[in-house]
Amino acid sequence: MSMTETTAECWISVARKSEVEPGAILGLKVGDRDIAVYNVDGIIYASNNVCTHAHAYLSDGWLEGDVLECPLHGGRFEAKTGRGMGAPIICDLKLYAVRVEGDDIQINLS
Ligand code: FES
């Protein structure tokens, strides 16, 4: 099943795709959640923005190819899956389903 297939009708518009160029990470507040939206080679992904190791925003870090790197201790995650790539990261990053309608990036928080 692709990440865009879901039966829940809980899509929330969070940003415009034109705001998130390839290689860019946008930090957003959606309700009380901190969300990172980023662009890997033209495909938009969304994850929790707070690192799973300690409190740092991944949107202050770097997206190198398909690797997200935390600015605080250099922890790395696979951007497309959220999988932690080794010390100091021991917990994977939660990703959210994303769909793009025209220029509108929508995420499903359910
Ligand atoms: Fe992200 Fe430590 S807070 S690696």
Side-chain angles (χ1 to χ4, degrees):
M1 185 167 109
S2 82
M3 289 188 61
T4 57
E5 291 173 351
T6 178
T7 55
E9 295 299 327
C10 214
W11 295 97
I12 300 170
S13 295
V14 294
R16 296 190 165 283
K17 188 175 181 189
S18 52
E19 295 178 294
V20 192
E21 296 292 321
I25 316 170
L26 193 63
L28 302 165
K29 199 87 173 168
V30 181
D32 59 356
R33 300 191 212 202
D34 291 300
I35 303 292
V37 173
Y38 48 90
N39 184 331
V40 180
D41 297 329
I43 306 295
I44 302 293
Y45 297 84
S47 71
N48 282 337
N49 195 14
V50 177
C51 184
T52 62
H53 176 237
H55 199 284
Y57 291 116
L58 296 170
S59 57
D60 292 334
W62 303 274
L63 178 59
E64 300 283 351
D66 58 1
V67 175
L68 275 174
E69 184 170 333
C70 176
L72 193 52
H73 309 111
R76 290 153 56 93
F77 301 91
E78 288 181 358
K80 296 177 180 178
T81 66
R83 192 176 71 82
M85 299 177 68
I89 304 301
I90 56 172
C91 294
D92 294 345
L93 187 66
K94 178 173 175 53
L95 264 60
Y96 297 95
V98 173
R99 71 182 184 189
V100 178
E101 301 281 336
D103 193 40
D104 193 28
I105 298 171
Q106 300 178 347
I107 67 174
N108 190 323
L109 293 177
S110 57

XYZ file of all heavy atoms in Angstrom:
834
model
N 0.850 -1.197 0.000
C 0.000 0.000 0.000
C 0.880 1.240 0.000
O 1.830 1.323 0.761
C -0.883 -0.033 1.254
C -1.876 1.081 1.312
S -3.105 0.782 2.597
C -2.615 2.014 3.775
N 0.580 2.191 -0.861
C 1.377 3.408 -0.866
C 0.981 4.278 0.325
O -0.071 4.083 0.936
C 1.174 4.183 -2.160
O -0.008 4.943 -2.078
N 1.823 5.275 0.605
C 1.547 6.132 1.755
C 0.331 7.006 1.531
O -0.193 7.578 2.469
C 2.752 7.014 2.065
C 3.895 6.217 2.651
S 5.195 7.287 3.228
C 4.377 8.252 4.463
N -0.129 7.157 0.308
C -1.256 8.050 0.075
C -2.589 7.311 0.163
O -3.626 7.936 0.083
C -1.138 8.729 -1.296
O -1.047 7.716 -2.282
C 0.070 9.632 -1.348
N -2.564 5.986 0.303
C -3.811 5.241 0.370
C -4.240 5.082 1.822
O -3.543 4.497 2.623
C -3.622 3.859 -0.253
C -3.429 3.919 -1.748
C -3.085 2.562 -2.323
O -2.827 1.626 -1.547
O -3.069 2.453 -3.554
N -5.378 5.650 2.127
C -5.909 5.527 3.469
C -7.411 5.738 3.399
O -7.907 6.400 2.494
C -5.268 6.536 4.440
O -5.882 6.382 5.714
C -5.444 7.962 3.972
N -8.124 5.170 4.300
C -9.566 5.351 4.291
C -9.987 6.493 5.202
O -11.108 6.964 5.123
C -10.274 4.058 4.752
O -9.755 3.696 6.018
C -10.046 2.944 3.748
N -9.107 6.952 6.076
C -9.478 8.019 7.007
C -9.576 9.352 6.268
O -8.743 9.676 5.437
C -8.445 8.118 8.122
N -10.615 10.113 6.575
C -10.815 11.422 5.940
C -10.299 12.496 6.867
O -11.055 13.239 7.459
C -12.301 11.631 5.634
C -12.861 10.667 4.619
C -12.182 10.776 3.256
O -11.771 11.892 2.893
O -12.060 9.748 2.579
N -9.044 12.538 7.020
C -8.449 13.408 8.023
C -7.282 14.191 7.435
O -6.285 14.407 8.099
C -7.968 12.557 9.189
S -8.111 13.362 10.749
N -7.444 14.598 6.176
C -6.349 15.288 5.498
C -6.334 16.760 5.878
O -7.363 17.421 5.855
C -6.483 15.125 3.992
C -6.330 13.700 3.566
C -7.321 12.800 3.316
C -5.096 13.008 3.382
N -6.769 11.587 2.981
C -5.413 11.679 3.006
C -3.753 13.378 3.487
C -4.433 10.737 2.742
C -2.785 12.430 3.226
C -3.119 11.130 2.862
N -5.173 17.269 6.204
C -5.018 18.657 6.628
C -4.014 19.332 5.698
O -2.906 18.819 5.499
C -4.491 18.724 8.078
C -5.476 18.028 9.021
C -4.268 20.166 8.507
C -4.923 17.832 10.415
N -4.421 20.471 5.134
C -3.502 21.240 4.293
C -2.489 21.935 5.190
O -2.863 22.616 6.146
C -4.270 22.289 3.478
O -5.140 21.649 2.576
N -1.209 21.754 4.893
C -0.183 22.298 5.780
C 0.772 23.266 5.093
O 1.415 24.080 5.763
C 0.622 21.171 6.465
C -0.277 20.374 7.402
C 1.307 20.258 5.461
N 0.913 23.165 3.782
C 1.886 24.024 3.096
C 1.657 23.909 1.597
O 0.898 23.061 1.130
C 3.311 23.589 3.443
N 2.346 24.772 0.870
C 2.334 24.693 -0.590
C 3.606 23.983 -1.045
O 4.680 24.230 -0.503
C 2.304 26.101 -1.195
C 1.050 26.857 -0.860
C 0.940 28.135 -1.670
N -0.407 28.669 -1.620
C -1.421 28.175 -2.328
N -1.232 27.152 -3.144
N -2.614 28.699 -2.226
N 3.446 23.130 -2.051
C 4.620 22.396 -2.523
C 5.702 23.353 -3.029
O 6.893 23.088 -2.892
C 4.213 21.404 -3.624
C 5.365 20.486 -4.016
C 4.976 19.422 -5.015
C 6.200 18.553 -5.326
N 5.963 17.627 -6.431
N 5.258 24.477 -3.609
C 6.234 25.437 -4.131
C 7.082 26.054 -3.019
O 8.126 26.655 -3.289
C 5.521 26.536 -4.929
O 4.479 27.112 -4.171
N 6.660 25.892 -1.750
C 7.451 26.388 -0.616
C 8.543 25.415 -0.200
O 9.385 25.757 0.623
C 6.553 26.588 0.620
C 5.494 27.641 0.518
C 4.659 27.695 1.783
O 3.945 26.713 2.078
O 4.724 28.720 2.482
N 8.469 24.184 -0.705
C 9.382 23.136 -0.237
C 10.149 22.587 -1.445
O 9.760 21.610 -2.068
C 8.609 21.998 0.472
C 9.567 21.074 1.200
C 7.576 22.551 1.451
N 11.221 23.254 -1.756
C 12.044 22.845 -2.897
C 12.755 21.523 -2.592
O 12.934 21.168 -1.412
C 13.112 23.925 -3.156
C 12.552 25.267 -3.559
C 11.906 25.225 -4.931
O 12.446 24.553 -5.821
O 10.845 25.851 -5.088
N 13.180 20.787 -3.617
C 13.960 19.568 -3.363
C 15.151 19.864 -2.440
O 15.871 20.841 -2.639
C 14.420 19.147 -4.768
C 13.334 19.663 -5.665
C 12.916 20.982 -5.047
N 15.288 19.048 -1.415
C 16.371 19.221 -0.438
C 15.999 20.099 0.738
O 16.777 20.227 1.684
N 14.802 20.714 0.693
C 14.390 21.629 1.761
C 13.574 20.893 2.823
O 12.898 19.903 2.536
C 13.566 22.774 1.180
N 13.642 21.400 4.054
C 12.835 20.897 5.169
C 12.105 22.089 5.761
O 12.729 23.093 6.115
C 13.694 20.278 6.292
C 14.795 19.380 5.752
C 12.806 19.521 7.293
C 15.809 18.947 6.822
N 10.789 21.960 5.893
C 9.970 23.024 6.467
C 9.446 22.548 7.820
O 8.870 21.465 7.909
C 8.813 23.295 5.503
C 7.971 24.536 5.685
C 8.822 25.783 5.488
C 6.820 24.520 4.672
N 9.643 23.336 8.853
C 9.103 23.017 10.172
C 7.751 23.689 10.349
O 7.610 24.882 10.060
N 6.753 22.938 10.806
C 5.395 23.453 10.936
C 4.803 23.061 12.272
O 5.167 22.027 12.836
C 4.487 22.840 9.862
C 4.871 23.046 8.409
C 4.084 22.085 7.539
C 4.605 24.481 8.016
N 3.876 23.879 12.738
C 3.067 23.516 13.891
C 1.692 23.156 13.355
O 1.047 23.976 12.698
C 2.982 24.727 14.840
C 2.575 24.369 16.222
C 3.774 23.976 17.053
C 3.336 23.787 18.502
N 4.377 23.147 19.301
N 1.236 21.943 13.601
C -0.098 21.512 13.168
C -0.839 21.092 14.434
O -0.542 20.053 15.022
C -0.018 20.352 12.157
C -1.421 19.950 11.707
C 0.827 20.738 10.952
N -1.783 21.944 14.857
C -2.369 21.719 16.176
C -1.250 21.841 17.205
O -0.501 22.817 17.200
N -1.118 20.832 18.048
C -0.042 20.882 19.037
C 1.158 20.037 18.612
O 2.054 19.778 19.410
C -0.554 20.445 20.417
C -1.110 19.031 20.392
O -1.161 18.424 19.306
O -1.488 18.533 21.473
N 1.162 19.611 17.355
C 2.268 18.759 16.908
C 3.282 19.544 16.088
O 2.924 20.434 15.326
C 1.750 17.620 16.031
C 0.761 16.734 16.743
C 0.511 15.508 15.913
N -0.852 15.053 16.092
C -1.257 13.818 15.842
N -0.412 12.929 15.394
N -2.508 13.488 16.024
N 4.538 19.188 16.254
C 5.617 19.740 15.444
C 5.875 18.772 14.294
O 6.242 17.618 14.515
C 6.881 19.911 16.288
C 6.724 21.006 17.312
O 6.478 22.157 16.904
O 6.823 20.722 18.522
N 5.681 19.278 13.084
C 5.775 18.449 11.888
C 6.875 18.992 10.983
O 7.025 20.212 10.834
C 4.430 18.477 11.113
C 3.269 18.011 12.003
C 4.518 17.655 9.832
C 3.294 16.562 12.388
N 7.632 18.092 10.399
C 8.604 18.461 9.365
C 8.068 17.973 8.022
O 7.625 16.831 7.896
C 9.957 17.826 9.646
N 8.082 18.853 7.036
C 7.707 18.497 5.667
C 8.949 18.701 4.816
O 9.607 19.742 4.912
C 6.543 19.393 5.185
C 6.255 19.164 3.711
C 5.295 19.126 6.013
N 9.298 17.711 4.022
C 10.527 17.834 3.241
C 10.372 17.167 1.887
O 9.453 16.382 1.655
C 11.724 17.284 4.017
C 11.521 15.932 4.637
C 11.840 14.761 3.932
C 11.019 15.798 5.925
C 11.662 13.520 4.496
C 10.829 14.544 6.493
C 11.152 13.419 5.783
O 10.958 12.177 6.338
N 11.285 17.519 1.007
C 11.193 17.152 -0.403
C 12.436 16.368 -0.797
O 13.548 16.887 -0.775
C 11.082 18.456 -1.223
C 10.895 18.228 -2.698
O 11.344 17.234 -3.254
N 10.274 19.184 -3.351
N 12.216 15.074 -1.114
C 13.318 14.230 -1.587
C 13.097 13.986 -3.072
O 12.176 13.252 -3.459
C 13.366 12.880 -0.833
C 14.524 12.033 -1.339
C 13.468 13.091 0.676
N 13.882 14.638 -3.899
C 13.811 14.444 -5.361
C 12.392 14.640 -5.901
O 11.921 13.863 -6.737
C 14.322 13.053 -5.739
C 15.787 12.870 -5.374
O 16.529 13.870 -5.398
O 16.185 11.728 -5.065
N 11.691 15.650 -5.371
C 10.375 15.985 -5.896
C 9.219 15.302 -5.184
O 8.065 15.602 -5.460
N 9.527 14.355 -4.307
C 8.472 13.677 -3.547
C 8.435 14.280 -2.145
O 9.476 14.421 -1.484
C 8.735 12.155 -3.450
C 8.936 11.551 -4.831
C 7.587 11.470 -2.690
C 7.724 11.611 -5.722
N 7.211 14.615 -1.692
C 7.040 15.238 -0.383
C 6.799 14.173 0.684
O 5.991 13.255 0.498
C 5.852 16.224 -0.397
C 6.059 17.313 -1.453
C 5.629 16.834 0.995
C 7.201 18.263 -1.168
N 7.467 14.330 1.811
C 7.295 13.454 2.978
C 7.002 14.340 4.185
O 7.356 15.523 4.212
C 8.571 12.641 3.249
C 8.932 11.701 2.132
C 9.659 12.154 1.033
C 8.535 10.364 2.153
C 9.975 11.301 -0.020
C 8.846 9.505 1.111
C 9.565 9.979 0.038
O 9.869 9.133 -0.996
N 6.390 13.734 5.206
C 6.133 14.461 6.454
C 6.435 13.542 7.623
O 6.108 12.348 7.599
C 4.681 14.927 6.517
N 7.058 14.112 8.641
C 7.410 13.336 9.835
C 7.230 14.222 11.059
O 7.015 15.434 10.943
C 8.880 12.878 9.763
O 9.743 13.985 9.932
N 7.364 13.603 12.237
C 7.528 14.435 13.421
C 8.792 15.273 13.228
O 9.780 14.809 12.657
C 7.670 13.562 14.670
C 6.335 13.017 15.137
O 5.286 13.581 14.832
N 6.361 11.919 15.872
N 8.743 16.506 13.741
C 9.901 17.386 13.554
C 10.910 17.239 14.686
O 12.069 17.598 14.522
C 9.430 18.847 13.458
C 10.504 19.770 12.911
O 11.504 19.309 12.366
N 10.288 21.059 13.062
N 10.474 16.719 15.820
C 11.382 16.604 16.967
C 12.143 15.285 16.860
O 11.561 14.215 16.673
C 10.601 16.681 18.284
C 11.538 16.490 19.480
C 9.883 18.029 18.398
N 13.443 15.363 16.990
C 14.312 14.187 16.943
C 13.900 13.187 18.027
O 13.425 13.581 19.100
C 15.754 14.635 17.164
S 16.955 13.294 17.028
N 14.069 11.900 17.764
C 13.704 10.883 18.749
C 14.778 10.711 19.822
O 14.566 9.978 20.777
C 13.469 9.526 18.060
O 14.682 9.095 17.435
C 12.359 9.616 17.022
N 15.912 11.369 19.678
C 16.996 11.219 20.646
C 16.884 12.219 21.793
O 17.013 11.853 22.955
C 18.351 11.390 19.927
C 19.529 11.341 20.842
N 20.445 12.362 20.924
C 19.931 10.391 21.723
C 21.378 12.034 21.815
N 21.087 10.855 22.311
N 16.668 13.480 21.462
C 16.507 14.531 22.471
C 15.685 15.630 21.796
O 15.059 15.374 20.774
C 17.850 15.041 22.968
N 15.682 16.819 22.373
C 14.799 17.848 21.793
C 15.564 18.751 20.840
O 16.236 19.693 21.257
C 14.118 18.672 22.882
C 12.900 19.376 22.337
N 12.980 20.505 21.543
C 11.591 19.078 22.422
C 11.761 20.880 21.192
N 10.905 20.025 21.709
N 15.455 18.408 19.579
C 15.999 19.264 18.521
C 15.054 19.154 17.338
O 14.434 18.107 17.122
C 17.389 18.799 18.116
N 14.950 20.233 16.591
C 14.079 20.233 15.415
C 14.867 19.788 14.188
O 15.889 20.387 13.843
C 13.491 21.623 15.182
C 12.498 22.035 16.250
C 12.748 23.119 17.081
C 11.317 21.316 16.417
C 11.840 23.485 18.065
C 10.404 21.668 17.396
C 10.669 22.748 18.210
O 9.778 23.105 19.189
N 14.334 18.762 13.540
C 14.998 18.269 12.333
C 14.972 19.314 11.222
O 15.841 19.324 10.348
C 14.341 16.962 11.883
C 14.523 15.833 12.917
C 13.662 14.634 12.563
C 15.982 15.438 13.051
N 13.979 20.218 11.284
C 13.931 21.283 10.270
C 15.094 22.263 10.435
O 15.351 23.063 9.529
C 12.592 22.025 10.337
O 12.375 22.555 11.627
N 15.794 22.207 11.569
C 17.015 23.009 11.733
C 18.250 22.232 11.266
O 19.371 22.741 11.339
C 17.207 23.397 13.209
C 16.150 24.376 13.681
O 15.604 25.122 12.842
O 15.861 24.394 14.899
N 18.030 20.987 10.871
C 19.146 20.147 10.423
C 19.259 20.142 8.913
O 19.007 21.154 8.258
N 19.595 18.973 8.368
C 19.925 18.900 6.950
C 19.259 17.699 6.304
O 19.091 16.653 6.931
C 21.444 18.768 6.788
C 22.160 19.888 7.441
C 22.445 21.108 6.895
C 22.654 19.929 8.787
N 23.079 21.897 7.819
C 23.220 21.205 8.983
C 22.663 19.015 9.847
C 23.797 21.580 10.190
C 23.237 19.384 11.049
C 23.798 20.659 11.216
N 18.921 17.881 5.039
C 18.451 16.780 4.203
C 19.506 16.587 3.120
O 19.696 17.442 2.252
C 17.085 17.139 3.600
C 16.451 16.130 2.659
C 16.225 14.782 3.353
C 15.129 16.661 2.119
N 20.232 15.490 3.249
C 21.301 15.174 2.284
C 20.853 13.957 1.507
O 20.857 12.844 2.044
C 22.606 14.860 3.025
C 23.137 15.975 3.897
C 23.822 17.081 3.095
O 24.025 16.877 1.882
O 24.120 18.129 3.682
N 20.451 14.158 0.245
C 19.903 13.036 -0.522
C 18.646 12.542 0.162
O 17.696 13.296 0.328
N 18.648 11.277 0.597
C 17.467 10.765 1.303
C 17.779 10.478 2.765
O 17.196 9.579 3.365
C 16.880 9.544 0.594
C 17.879 8.414 0.460
O 19.026 8.563 0.942
O 17.511 7.377 -0.104
N 18.677 11.275 3.349
C 19.023 11.150 4.767
C 18.731 12.473 5.473
O 19.170 13.531 5.031
C 20.506 10.778 4.951
C 20.888 10.780 6.427
C 20.794 9.422 4.325
N 17.963 12.362 6.578
C 17.722 13.518 7.449
C 18.757 13.501 8.558
O 18.933 12.479 9.228
C 16.349 13.395 8.112
C 15.107 13.872 7.407
C 13.874 13.493 8.233
C 15.155 15.368 7.178
N 19.418 14.617 8.779
C 20.426 14.667 9.828
C 20.057 15.710 10.866
O 19.759 16.861 10.539
C 21.809 14.978 9.248
C 22.893 14.936 10.325
C 24.296 14.996 9.755
O 24.485 14.576 8.596
O 25.195 15.469 10.466
N 20.075 15.276 12.128
C 19.718 16.150 13.239
C 20.845 17.149 13.518
O 22.018 16.780 13.499
C 19.449 15.281 14.471
S 19.107 16.233 15.955
N 20.472 18.403 13.825
C 21.504 19.419 14.047
C 22.210 19.295 15.392
O 23.290 19.862 15.570
C 20.725 20.731 13.971
C 19.356 20.359 14.457
C 19.119 18.970 13.921
N 21.626 18.539 16.350
C 22.179 18.589 17.705
C 23.332 17.605 17.909
O 24.416 17.993 18.354
C 21.060 18.345 18.727
C 21.387 18.661 20.171
C 21.955 20.071 20.334
C 20.150 18.509 21.064
N 23.119 16.329 17.598
C 24.185 15.339 17.780
C 24.481 14.566 16.500
O 25.159 13.526 16.546
C 23.815 14.332 18.881
C 23.378 14.970 20.167
N 22.080 14.917 20.623
C 24.078 15.701 21.071
C 21.985 15.589 21.762
N 23.177 16.078 22.061
N 23.912 15.012 15.403
C 24.217 14.369 14.120
C 23.522 13.040 13.896
O 23.928 12.277 13.018
N 22.467 12.745 14.674
C 21.701 11.526 14.426
C 21.108 11.545 13.023
O 20.783 12.605 12.495
N 21.004 10.364 12.420
C 20.546 10.301 11.032
C 19.358 9.349 10.893
O 19.306 8.312 11.550
C 21.700 9.834 10.135
C 22.794 10.893 10.004
C 24.165 10.289 9.722
N 24.209 9.441 8.549
C 24.540 9.845 7.332
N 24.852 11.114 7.130
N 24.578 9.003 6.334
N 18.450 9.724 10.010
C 17.259 8.925 9.714
C 17.130 8.772 8.210
O 17.442 9.706 7.463
C 15.987 9.632 10.211
C 15.952 9.912 11.672
C 16.445 11.119 12.173
C 15.420 8.987 12.567
C 16.404 11.389 13.536
C 15.377 9.251 13.923
C 15.877 10.446 14.414
N 16.602 7.598 7.792
C 16.213 7.459 6.391
C 15.003 8.351 6.169
O 13.946 8.164 6.797
C 15.818 6.012 6.093
C 16.981 5.053 6.071
C 16.532 3.638 5.741
O 15.317 3.390 5.564
O 17.415 2.774 5.672
N 15.118 9.318 5.263
C 14.052 10.308 5.086
C 12.762 9.688 4.567
O 11.679 10.154 4.880
C 14.525 11.411 4.139
N 12.867 8.627 3.768
C 11.672 8.056 3.147
C 10.929 7.087 4.060
O 9.777 6.750 3.800
C 12.046 7.337 1.847
C 12.608 8.285 0.785
C 13.017 7.505 -0.449
C 13.579 8.431 -1.519
N 14.031 7.677 -2.717
N 11.586 6.607 5.119
C 10.954 5.618 6.008
C 10.963 6.041 7.468
O 10.200 5.501 8.262
C 11.674 4.254 5.919
O 13.007 4.415 6.442
C 11.740 3.753 4.491
N 11.862 6.950 7.847
C 12.009 7.343 9.243
C 12.908 6.421 10.046
O 13.122 6.640 11.244
N 13.450 5.395 9.405
C 14.268 4.437 10.144
C 15.548 5.097 10.647
O 16.252 5.774 9.891
C 14.627 3.238 9.251
C 15.229 2.072 10.015
C 15.461 0.889 9.098
N 16.557 1.123 8.162
C 17.847 0.969 8.459
N 18.221 0.590 9.660
N 18.766 1.213 7.542
N 15.824 4.908 11.938
C 17.055 5.409 12.516
C 18.252 4.680 11.928
O 18.196 3.480 11.639
N 19.360 5.409 11.750
C 20.533 4.837 11.077
C 21.693 4.614 12.031
O 22.853 4.639 11.623
C 20.932 5.739 9.904
C 19.837 5.872 8.868
S 20.230 7.002 7.514
C 21.531 6.103 6.683
N 21.381 4.393 13.310
C 22.458 4.064 14.248
C 22.683 5.151 15.269
O 22.023 6.194 15.259
N 23.616 4.891 16.201
C 23.873 5.775 17.335
C 24.050 7.217 16.874
O 24.677 7.452 15.842
C 25.125 5.301 18.068
N 23.484 8.155 17.673
C 22.792 7.962 18.955
C 21.300 7.651 18.814
O 20.595 7.653 19.815
C 22.990 9.319 19.634
C 22.914 10.300 18.503
C 23.583 9.599 17.331
N 20.810 7.398 17.621
C 19.375 7.187 17.416
C 19.006 5.739 17.737
O 19.576 4.802 17.158
C 18.983 7.498 15.953
C 19.384 8.923 15.562
C 17.483 7.263 15.751
C 18.782 10.015 16.408
N 18.057 5.560 18.657
C 17.585 4.203 18.937
C 16.103 4.028 18.597
O 15.629 2.899 18.533
C 17.839 3.789 20.406
C 17.199 4.766 21.373
C 19.326 3.656 20.680
C 17.248 4.312 22.820
N 15.383 5.131 18.389
C 13.967 5.040 18.010
C 13.775 5.649 16.627
O 14.323 6.715 16.333
C 13.085 5.804 19.003
S 13.076 5.097 20.648
N 12.975 4.964 15.819
C 12.681 5.481 14.486
C 11.802 6.728 14.580
O 11.147 6.976 15.590
C 11.962 4.417 13.657
C 12.847 3.214 13.356
O 14.076 3.317 13.525
O 12.287 2.171 12.971
N 11.793 7.467 13.497
C 11.006 8.691 13.389
C 9.651 8.351 12.790
O 9.575 7.575 11.835
C 11.764 9.650 12.458
C 11.260 11.072 12.297
C 11.387 11.834 13.613
C 12.068 11.763 11.199
N 8.597 8.922 13.345
C 7.254 8.663 12.806
C 7.020 9.496 11.553
O 7.196 10.719 11.576
C 6.181 8.990 13.848
C 4.757 8.793 13.313
C 3.717 8.951 14.380
C 2.301 8.867 13.817
N 2.065 7.663 13.013
N 6.606 8.823 10.484
C 6.208 9.516 9.264
C 4.691 9.524 9.145
O 4.021 8.632 9.673
C 6.805 8.830 8.033
C 8.109 9.433 7.502
C 9.211 9.391 8.536
C 8.545 8.737 6.225
N 4.167 10.509 8.440
C 2.739 10.641 8.206
C 2.450 10.477 6.714
O 3.296 10.790 5.868
C 2.246 12.025 8.668
C 2.411 12.233 10.146
C 3.526 12.873 10.646
C 1.462 11.746 11.038
C 3.700 13.043 12.020
C 1.629 11.913 12.406
C 2.756 12.555 12.883
O 2.920 12.709 14.231
N 1.238 10.024 6.417
C 0.809 9.932 5.022
C 0.700 11.335 4.436
O 0.243 12.265 5.107
C -0.525 9.212 4.934
N 1.118 11.480 3.198
C 1.116 12.767 2.499
C 0.410 12.604 1.160
O 0.556 11.576 0.496
C 2.573 13.224 2.225
C 2.594 14.468 1.339
C 3.325 13.492 3.517
N -0.346 13.612 0.781
C -0.815 13.688 -0.601
C -0.684 15.130 -1.056
O -0.725 16.062 -0.245
C -2.242 13.161 -0.741
C -3.309 14.038 -0.150
C -4.691 13.405 -0.296
N -5.733 14.294 0.185
C -7.008 13.934 0.335
N -7.386 12.693 0.056
N -7.899 14.801 0.775
N -0.500 15.288 -2.364
C -0.344 16.618 -2.939
C -1.472 16.816 -3.945
O -1.632 16.030 -4.871
C 1.027 16.769 -3.622
C 1.148 18.143 -4.265
C 2.157 16.556 -2.605
N -2.276 17.851 -3.695
C -3.386 18.205 -4.585
C -3.017 19.527 -5.236
O -3.081 20.575 -4.596
C -4.679 18.374 -3.777
C -5.119 17.146 -3.005
C -5.822 16.121 -3.890
O -6.361 16.526 -4.932
O -5.800 14.934 -3.538
N -2.602 19.481 -6.491
C -2.113 20.700 -7.128
C -0.847 21.138 -6.401
O 0.127 20.403 -6.352
N -0.896 22.340 -5.811
C 0.261 22.851 -5.065
C 0.071 22.678 -3.558
O 0.861 23.164 -2.762
C 0.459 24.342 -5.403
C 1.803 24.869 -4.929
O 2.809 24.135 -5.047
O 1.849 26.015 -4.436
N -0.985 21.982 -3.191
C -1.398 21.901 -1.801
C -0.872 20.599 -1.164
O -1.241 19.505 -1.596
C -2.935 21.920 -1.777
C -3.501 22.153 -0.402
O -2.833 22.797 0.421
O -4.630 21.692 -0.166
N -0.023 20.729 -0.158
C 0.471 19.548 0.561
C -0.494 19.256 1.704
O -0.762 20.126 2.538
C 1.873 19.777 1.139
C 2.875 20.049 0.037
C 2.307 18.585 1.985
C 4.242 20.489 0.552
N -1.004 18.036 1.722
C -1.914 17.625 2.785
C -1.300 16.425 3.507
O -0.693 15.557 2.881
C -3.274 17.240 2.202
C -3.928 18.383 1.456
C -5.258 17.998 0.830
O -5.596 16.826 0.747
N -6.011 18.990 0.398
N -1.468 16.398 4.820
C -0.986 15.255 5.582
C -2.132 14.672 6.390
O -3.115 15.346 6.685
C 0.216 15.601 6.485
C -0.172 16.560 7.602
C 1.347 16.179 5.666
C 0.975 16.787 8.586
N -1.978 13.408 6.711
C -3.001 12.693 7.482
C -2.371 12.351 8.838
O -1.440 11.544 8.908
C -3.403 11.428 6.726
C -4.626 10.771 7.341
O -4.782 10.769 8.557
N -5.483 10.235 6.510
N -2.886 12.986 9.867
C -2.296 12.797 11.202
C -2.877 11.600 11.939
O -2.435 11.276 13.024
C -2.522 14.043 12.064
C -1.781 15.303 11.600
C -2.140 16.479 12.496
C -0.276 15.073 11.616
N -3.858 10.925 11.340
C -4.483 9.807 12.054
C -3.616 8.553 11.971
O -2.673 8.495 11.198
C -5.853 9.522 11.494
O -5.772 9.266 10.124
Fe 18.945 14.510 17.488
Fe 20.548 14.011 19.591
S 18.843 15.329 19.496
S 20.730 13.285 17.559
